[in-house]
Amino acid sequence: MSITDTQEEIVNEFSLLEGDQEMSVLYLMELGQKLPAMKEEDKTEQNEVKGCQSRVWLTAEVKHGAVFFSADSNTAITKGLISLLIRVFSGHTPQEILSGEITFPSRIGMDRFIGTQRSNGFAAMIKQMKMYALAFQTRSQIQA
Amino acid sequence: MENVASIGSGIEVEEIRKLFPILHQKINGHDLVYFDNAATTQKPVQVLDALQAYYTGYNANIHRGIHTLAERATTAFEQTRATAASFLNAGSKEEIIFVRGVTEAINLVASSYGRSMLKKGDEIILSGLEHHSNIVPWQLIAEEKQCHIRVIPVTDSGELDLLAYKGLLNERTRIVSVNHASNSLGTINPVKEIIKLAHQAGAVTLIDGAQAAAHLPIDVQDLDCDFYCLSGHKMYGPTGVGVLYGKKKILEAMPPYMGGGEMIRQVTFEKTTWNDVPYKFEAGTPNIADVIALKSAFDFISGTGKEAMAQHESMLLRYATEQLSELKGLRVVGISKNKVSVLSFVIEGIHPFDIGQMLDTRGIAVRTGHHCTQPLMDRMGLEGTVRASFAVYNTRKETDKLIEGLQRVIGFLK
């Protein structure tokens, strides 16, 4: 599924909650709980995403040309947000990730989490994911 | 204002709520429950009206104006000074300096008093309960003057260890600066005793009254503190205005903090002489509108009755503490018997941010994090807490909503 299609799917899922803020946050946290566990040894300072109010760790690997992310956070809401980002980006090529545009947060009423105080953190998460994509792309170009 | 006596505190909370327009709104479809009063309180119509009246009726620069508007503005401005003096029971209104808030007040004292009086090897005593604003200004001056900062330790219950304090005092102690009440835990500190002991050691004292001004009786002469400061916005007044009280003799001996207009007597390029206190410390055009409106905040508190307000808030604090303590995994942080209406807590296994965000979806405003007291959080072994803080316009019903909200968070996340 394309980056755009996955975001459409997320928007459709949240639309079932009819804008109920509490239900949306609960659902977001539930999605976070389902995120596959990150290896404890990966929760290093090096893998920590700077700029988040809550702590976030992020790593990535390439399999057959596609990037797969793994992440964790010490807060449930942030973990939910990052689980959505992983759902959108994981399994795509570096090129797709680099050109992918994230539009879902405001469309599911989550802009308030990523607006104002958390905005830097959320922007930092996206930036970090794109940095991984860029690094993998550069590496594959060098190898080619 | 209407203030029909009722059982208990005598506070008619529904009548008081009518004075606060901001409270009557929906947040995420729910009635706003504002429990972030230790960060800033909401403002009654009297304060809002005073701001409007100034800007629509007599906006003018104060003190040297000879026209009518300037006279009116000056009179109103100086009336706030007199009211502030009476609110704190200062010896005279010359002892009242208008500042932006407690942060500026402490910076002023650290800078002016500290720079002129401190010498290498001198000691400054702070407490482990302090807000960063009562730590960092002292660190700046201590570094410059090569002085040492000593810290009164905090007990597990969130109180100051007075025995340890006595041990810290010595002939090198020059300044003792502590808060009247803790913004993170609510603990009311025994400031009168702290001041007395400091004086016996020959030190001057500064009391940060940010969390006390709206809740506790303050009598600077009885306390015998050398400096006392408060922020207007934490006591139903506007943002950007506060008061520094200082004993006149000490203020007179201190050099100016900032240079500019108003604070001078005569300026020549060879030598400038200073105005009398308090004007020596009020360089430039002050925050006239907010100073004027601050009087309405003092009047609101005095008119409602600080004691009655405190009783009402204590009732809410007791009720909330009892109810919250029943919740599974919840631990109240700061369990002193003497507290202003601040309730800090953590829930095992749930991050404060998640709790705060979840409560916000139900229109409940609390604060989460370290509350600008990182050393205290380190001492308590916490990254942060959730803090609910009550004001005179809060109700038991609102407290019930907090409890329901927390039950929901716990039910889902545990």
Side-chain angles (χ1 to χ4, degrees):
Chain A
M1 202 184 283
S2 76
I3 284 173
T4 310
D5 289 347
T6 310
Q7 295 191 81
E8 289 305 323
E9 190 183 72
I10 291 169
V11 170
N12 285 336
E13 277 170 28
F14 274 82
S15 72
L16 298 174
L17 302 169
E18 295 172 341
D20 183 316
Q21 280 286 339
E22 190 182 26
M23 290 308 294
S24 303
V25 173
L26 285 173
Y27 182 56
L28 186 68
M29 292 198 288
E30 202 179 309
L31 293 175
Q33 286 176 339
K34 287 181 187 161
L35 186 69
M38 189 184 199
K39 286 184 218 142
E40 277 305 313
E41 61 262 33
D42 283 340
K43 291 185 196 172
T44 59
E45 203 189 325
Q46 206 192 343
N47 287 336
E48 201 166 337
V49 180
K50 304 289 183 290
C52 295
Q53 270 200 37
S54 40
R55 304 185 73 182
V56 175
W57 298 269
L58 178 74
T59 59
E61 58 180 344
V62 188
K63 278 184 208 158
H64 312 298
V67 185
F68 293 87
F69 294 97
S70 166
D72 200 359
S73 172
N74 64 341
T75 78
I77 290 171
T78 310
K79 198 169 168 178
L81 284 170
I82 200 148
S83 79
L84 290 176
L85 282 178
I86 287 180
R87 190 166 142 197
V88 170
F89 279 145
S90 260
H92 287 279
T93 64
Q95 183 51 44
E96 285 166 346
I97 294 167
L98 284 167
S99 57
E101 196 191 336
I102 293 296
T103 60
F104 75 86
S106 63
R107 298 165 69 203
I108 62 169
M110 289 299 148
D111 38 347
R112 68 192 192 90
F113 293 115
I114 52 184
T116 62
Q117 299 186 39
R118 276 175 192 254
S119 61
N120 294 333
F122 193 75
M125 282 191 239
I126 297 172
K127 192 175 159 196
Q128 194 61 32
M129 293 173 108
K130 294 205 172 201
M131 286 297 283
Y132 272 114
L134 184 65
F136 291 136
Q137 189 187 47
T138 311
R139 198 170 67 188
S140 68
Q141 281 165 353
I142 292 167
Q143 282 166 354
Chain B
M1 59 162 281
E2 289 180 70
N3 187 5
V4 186
S6 69
I7 306 157
S9 63
I11 292 291
E12 272 294 329
V13 68
E14 287 310 321
E15 290 303 312
I16 285 176
R17 289 180 70 82
K18 288 181 190 162
L19 300 172
F20 292 82
I22 200 170
L23 297 177
H24 309 283
Q25 63 173 305
K26 301 258 184 213
I27 300 288
N28 297 319
H30 298 264
D31 288 334
L32 166 66
V33 174
Y34 187 78
F35 282 159
D36 195 17
N37 295 288
T40 197
T41 57
Q42 301 304 342
K43 324 302 175 197
V45 283
Q46 298 94 313
V47 170
L48 306 176
D49 288 349
L51 286 168
Q52 177 85 355
Y54 168 72
Y55 281 123
T56 53
Y58 58 101
N59 171 47
N61 211 334
I62 54 166
H63 296 135
R64 293 152 313 279
I66 48 147
H67 55 83
T68 306
L69 293 189
E71 290 266 335
R72 282 186 193 155
T74 304
T75 305
F77 186 89
E78 291 302 324
Q79 268 171 357
T80 303
R81 201 187 301 277
T83 305
S86 134
F87 189 84
L88 296 172
N89 194 34
S92 74
K93 69 189 189 78
E94 287 74 42
E95 297 181 315
I96 302 296
I97 298 161
F98 291 118
V99 287
R100 279 183 292 165
V102 161
T103 298
E104 189 180 38
I106 298 173
N107 275 281
L108 189 161
V109 176
S111 236
S112 169
Y113 185 87
R115 192 160 291 142
S116 59
M117 309 290 180
L118 289 172
K119 291 181 182 64
K120 188 179 173 181
D122 284 350
E123 295 182 3
I124 299 164
I125 295 182
L126 309 176
S127 94
L129 283 174
E130 299 314 309
H131 189 281
H132 297 160
S133 62
N134 195 21
I135 299 174
V136 183
W138 300 112
Q139 286 176 326
L140 290 171
I141 196 70
E143 192 178 357
E144 185 185 319
K145 306 292 280 189
Q146 294 179 280
C147 298
H148 305 290
I149 288 174
R150 301 276 177 256
V151 183
I152 309 171
V154 178
T155 66
D156 290 341
S157 61
E159 293 174 312
L160 293 183
D161 181 343
L162 279 199
L163 204 64
Y165 169 53
K166 286 174 195 167
L168 292 175
L169 287 161
N170 64 63
E171 70 282 358
R172 292 182 303 276
T173 311
R174 291 288 167 273
I175 296 165
V176 175
S177 186
V178 296
N179 60 38
H180 200 160
S182 154
N183 72 305
S184 277
L185 309 183
T187 317
I188 300 169
N189 291 317
V191 284
K192 195 169 175 181
E193 194 180 347
I194 289 171
I195 293 161
K196 193 175 148 199
L197 289 165
H199 286 165
Q200 283 168 3
V204 300
T205 52
L206 181 146
I207 306 298
D208 164 0
Q211 297 299 330
H215 309 284
L216 300 173
I218 303 163
D219 182 335
V220 291
Q221 292 189 73
D222 179 57
L223 289 174
D224 198 27
C225 55
D226 301 287
F227 300 101
Y228 194 100
C229 46
L230 56 84
S231 290
H233 74 97
K234 292 189 200 285
M235 44 159 286
Y236 310 102
T239 53
V241 63
V243 165
L244 169 65
Y245 157 86
K247 281 182 182 164
K248 200 173 172 189
K249 272 194 171 163
I250 297 177
L251 291 177
E252 280 171 343
M254 283 161 57
Y257 168 53
M258 280 166 61
E262 187 68 50
M263 50 78 70
I264 46 85
R265 185 180 308 287
Q266 195 173 17
V267 177
T268 66
F269 280 108
E270 289 69 42
K271 181 162 175 65
T272 294
T273 51
W274 316 131
N275 202 339
D276 294 329
V277 294
Y279 307 109
K280 180 169 79 176
F281 295 105
E282 292 179 356
T285 296
N287 185 355
I288 305 169
D290 293 315
V291 166
I292 289 172
L294 182 61
K295 180 179 184 298
S296 301
F298 284 128
D299 290 345
F300 167 72
I301 294 173
S302 304
T304 310
K306 213 193 242 184
E307 202 179 324
M309 291 165 88
Q311 267 183 37
H312 173 75
E313 292 159 2
S314 296
M315 179 273 289
L316 291 175
L317 178 69
R318 262 200 317 276
Y319 179 67
T321 305
E322 279 167 22
Q323 298 287 314
L324 260 64
S325 303
E326 307 256 309
L327 298 177
K328 199 175 160 223
L330 188 145
R331 179 164 66 85
V332 173
V333 183
I335 49 168
S336 169
K337 285 193 182 70
N338 294 311
K339 279 172 64 168
V340 292
S341 48
V342 166
L343 181 51
S344 234
F345 59 91
V346 289
I347 299 177
E348 201 194 320
I350 310 181
H351 198 282
F353 280 151
D354 291 326
I355 299 169
Q357 298 278 17
M358 277 290 288
L359 291 174
D360 183 60
T361 65
R362 302 186 146 224
I364 303 168
V366 294
R367 193 146 288 254
T368 61
H370 54 60
H371 316 298
C372 292
T373 56
Q374 284 178 351
L376 175 62
M377 291 297 130
D378 289 344
R379 158 65 184 89
M380 298 316 237
L382 298 167
E383 235 180 277
T385 69
V386 182
R387 182 187 71 185
S389 49
F390 310 109
V392 66
Y393 42 66
N394 290 128
T395 66
R396 261 173 87 119
K397 204 173 126 196
E398 289 181 311
T399 311
D400 289 332
K401 287 185 186 169
L402 171 69
I403 294 151
E404 277 166 34
L406 289 173
Q407 279 168 338
R408 181 113 171 132
V409 177
I410 294 170
F412 183 78
L413 283 173
K414 293 199 72 166

